[in-house]
């Protein structure tokens, strides 16, 4: 992901301005979201409950909830069980 383009930086600035996330978490969400918008990613998995809550609030605010799933590994496995 190239955040050097203006769209990437704008997304990062918007996340930082509209969430209560640490800079590192804003960057992680931005990379996942830009990837999702470019059809390169559809899930952001983390154990950080506060990040999940804030990321999902932001995605809902921006009407992007259908573009990116943000969840714990456990919730991911529940939603997408492995096929053996």
């Amino acid at each position: 992901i190239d955040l050097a383009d203006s769209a990437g930086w704008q997304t990062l600035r918007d996340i930082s301005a509209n969430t209560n996330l640490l800079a590192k978490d804003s960057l992680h969400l931005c990379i996942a979201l830009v990837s999702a918008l470019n059809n390169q990613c559809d899930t952001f998995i983390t154990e950080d409950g506060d990040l999940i809550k804030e990321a999902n609030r932001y995605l809902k605010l921006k009407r992007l909830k259908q573009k990116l799933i943000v969840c714990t590994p456990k919730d991911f496995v529940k939603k997408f069980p492995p096929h053996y």
Side-chain angles (χ1 to χ4, degrees):
I1 295 300
D2 182 10
L3 290 180
D5 70 10
S6 62
W9 277 115
Q10 185 56 42
T11 301
L12 181 57
R13 290 179 63 191
D14 191 65
I15 289 169
S16 296
N18 289 290
T19 66
N20 190 27
L21 292 172
L22 297 171
K24 65 182 180 116
D25 292 334
S26 294
L27 182 59
H28 290 144
L29 176 57
C30 178
I31 291 169
L33 181 55
V34 169
S35 297
L37 293 172
N38 288 311
N39 296 314
Q40 298 171 331
C41 168
D42 60 7
T43 308
F44 178 18
I45 300 172
T46 179
E47 289 282 358
D48 186 333
D50 292 332
L51 173 54
I52 293 168
K53 181 179 175 183
E54 195 66 11
N56 283 320
R57 187 192 65 75
Y58 176 79
L59 293 171
K60 184 177 179 183
L61 174 73
K62 296 298 178 175
R63 299 175 192 224
L64 295 169
K65 196 92 165 91
Q66 74 285 357
K67 283 291 193 180
L68 183 66
I69 298 167
V70 183
C71 64
T72 64
K74 185 177 180 180
D75 288 340
F76 179 81
V77 171
K78 282 182 189 174
K79 189 175 272 196
F80 305 101
H83 300 220
Y84 297 105

